[in-house]
Amino acid sequence: MAKLTLPCDVETIRSLKVGDFLELEGRIVTGRDSAHHWLLEGHQADVAPLLQGSVIYHCGPVVKKHEDGHYSFVAAGPTTSAREEPYQADVIGRYGLRGVIGKGGMGARTLKGLQDHGAVYLHAVGGTAQVLAQAVTKVEQVFMLKEFGVPEALWVISVSNFPVVVTMDSHGNSLHAEVEKASRAKLEKLLGLSA
Amino acid sequence: MMSPQEWTQKLVEVIAHASTQLPPDVVEALKRGRDAEVEGSLARKALDSILHNIELASGNWQPICQDTGTPLFWIHHPIGMSTRMLTAACEEAVRQATGKQLLRPNAVDPLTEKNTGHGQAPGIPTVHCEEWDSPDVEVHLILKGGGCENCGAQYTLPNAALKADRNLEGVRRCILDAIQKAQGKGCSPGVIGACFGGDRGSGYVESKRQLLRPLPDRNPIPEIDALEQDILEKSNQLDIGPMGFGGKTTVLGVKIGHLGRLPACYFVSVSYMCWANRRAGARITADGTVTWLD
């Protein structure tokens, strides 16, 4: 399995294609619904350098706070990405993200954003919260914890051997669009709905 | 007689089971699915990862999925037992389980948009209490994640687009449509709970109650059993596969109930449950002896 070290450059991202298995190394940042709104409210200067060249992980983890104050991830699988569809392309553009980790795939607007900015959609296996939490080697820092709560905060983490599959690449290809279209055609045939 | 605090402790144990230990019938179904997928395919790799995850969670008693979902309790209790006490014990058990990281702080007040921080809020958990003749209490719990909850759908028949009339063939068409629309977003391979009839509220509740049935459980009503088996077979021919990667394993089970309806209404309510089909069942005697059922 190929390694992808983050942060990374655009050329590396452009070389990736749908179906590639990758193991991520380095820094990523979690962010979901509240984070995406917040990132587009203005330029969030504190977190911006951490997002540049890295990827945002659609994840609301279970987190343990230890007695000495440090945090660790107890369970950390991906959440459904489709909810960020209205915002994702703009967040990628504004913060120089090279990709997104999530589950379930995203739509046409994000696919175009990936193409325009040079970024990829990386699918982690939904529900595999223990496998993925083990790949989180360190919780570096957290933004907006008090305001958003544990699941919605932006957690800056280091990962190693974090397994993902490219399901939307920077060349306009989407596995999700293909599977949706083919399965719709099969259903229509099955139910006698085809034109 | 157990005190409310002792009931709370028992219910925390039920939550721990549900959050960390997947029922054996679900694990077996996932293994059969993995073995059916082509070596080296995305579908097979996803199921391998899922099965590895189940082992890790079980061994360490940690949440299978970080979205520990809405806790849905169904409780049978002896005559004369306080349902207010049982409901309060369920609520306190959710708060305590959240403190132990068995559950994520998963309750948000939609008015203030603040997370309550302890996992409990009005309507979370939901607790259904029903009296029965046994001196024991039986608790069944499902933890139903938000991603799959978003894939639920409710249809009214007739539905012209699906050529669905008010009959079992119409019900079949709606359920297959819901499965296709869900794609991998509900964390396929999923389990389908459905209900035809009822009103908009009761139909959804019954569709979720159907998820308590173990996967090998067959419907005693022959025509509904045939419908369940047919939808299971056909949905696995859609090539949606685990996580929507394509593949043979899209649905692990289909469970369908029915309720009386008004002459004017014909609802088909579909609840999608993710592969992390977190069911736990326990029979608890008055002196606190627990027998695990799932």
Side-chain angles (χ1 to χ4, degrees), chain B residues 140-160:
Chain B
H140 289 272
L141 169 64
I142 290 177
L143 299 177
K144 190 169 187 305
C148 67
E149 183 68 1
N150 282 336
C151 292
Q154 194 166 55
Y155 298 81
T156 59
L157 295 183
N159 179 309

Side-chain angles (χ1 to χ4, degrees), chain A residues 77-193:
Chain A
T79 190
T80 307
S81 299
R83 294 192 306 271
E84 315 315 335
E85 180 64 10
Y87 324 110
Q88 195 66 67
D90 296 335
V91 171
I92 289 169
R94 184 175 298 186
Y95 291 93
L97 283 169
R98 293 277 79 86
V100 174
I101 309 169
K103 74 170 176 82
M106 303 189 73
R109 194 167 186 275
T110 301
L111 189 61
K112 186 170 183 305
L114 299 177
Q115 214 170 351
D116 291 346
H117 301 294
V120 283
Y121 182 84
L122 304 167
H123 202 299
V125 175
T128 59
Q130 291 303 316
V131 169
L132 296 168
Q134 283 198 347
V136 177
T137 53
K138 196 178 177 197
V139 177
E140 305 278 356
Q141 62 183 120
V142 58
F143 292 90
M144 302 301 277
L145 176 59
K146 190 162 161 278
E147 295 82 351
F148 294 162
V150 169
E152 299 277 346
L154 294 89
W155 297 88
V156 182
I157 55 177
S158 292
V159 300
S160 183
N161 302 319
F162 189 100
V164 292
V165 182
V166 178
T167 56
M168 297 164 68
D169 64 24
S170 64
H171 307 287
N173 303 304
S174 165
L175 176 65
H176 306 286
E178 279 172 37
V179 171
E180 202 289 325
K181 196 176 161 194
S183 62
R184 174 51 54 179
K186 283 190 177 124
L187 182 71
E188 286 178 354
K189 195 172 169 213
L190 190 68
L191 301 183
L193 301 173

Side-chain angles (χ1 to χ4, degrees), chain B residues 167-169 171-172 175 192-197 206-207 209-210 213 215 217-233 253-260 266 268-269:
Chain B
N167 51 33
L168 289 187
E169 172 58 19
V171 173
R172 172 178 173 267
I175 297 173
I192 307 301
C195 171
F196 58 102
E206 176 59 19
S207 74
R209 200 179 66 89
Q210 287 293 317
R213 290 169 55 196
L215 295 178
D217 179 54
R218 298 290 290 257
N219 200 305
I221 302 169
E223 55 266 50
I224 305 182
D225 179 58
L227 185 66
E228 291 178 354
Q229 299 306 316
D230 178 69
I231 294 171
L232 178 61
E233 184 193 330
V254 179
K255 307 294 171 191
I256 304 173
H258 65 294
L259 293 173
Y266 198 125
V268 180
S269 308

Side-chain angles (χ1 to χ4, degrees), chain A residues 15-89:
Chain A
S15 73
L16 300 174
K17 58 182 194 310
V18 165
D20 287 347
F21 289 98
L22 300 171
E23 283 186 338
L24 306 182
E25 303 284 330
R27 184 192 68 231
I28 64 178
V29 183
T30 73
R32 42 186 288 166
D33 310 74
S34 302
H36 281 72
H37 282 275
W38 179 71
L39 288 169
L40 291 179
E41 271 171 17
H43 184 77
Q44 306 298 349
D46 289 348
V47 75
L50 299 165
L51 293 171
Q52 179 72 37
S54 187
V55 302
I56 195 162
Y57 180 21
H58 297 158
C59 171
V62 178
V63 182
K64 183 178 172 74
K65 186 172 187 178
H66 297 263
E67 279 176 13
D68 65 0
H70 88 278
Y71 295 101
S72 61
F73 275 20
V74 174
T79 190
T80 307
S81 299
R83 294 192 306 271
E84 315 315 335
E85 180 64 10
Y87 324 110
Q88 195 66 67

Side-chain angles (χ1 to χ4, degrees), chain B residues 21-30 32 215 279 293-294:
Chain B
Q21 313 290 314
L22 211 56
D25 58 294
V26 181
V27 180
E28 284 309 309
L30 289 163
R32 282 196 301 276
L215 295 178
R279 297 190 326 253
L293 304 173
D294 269 315

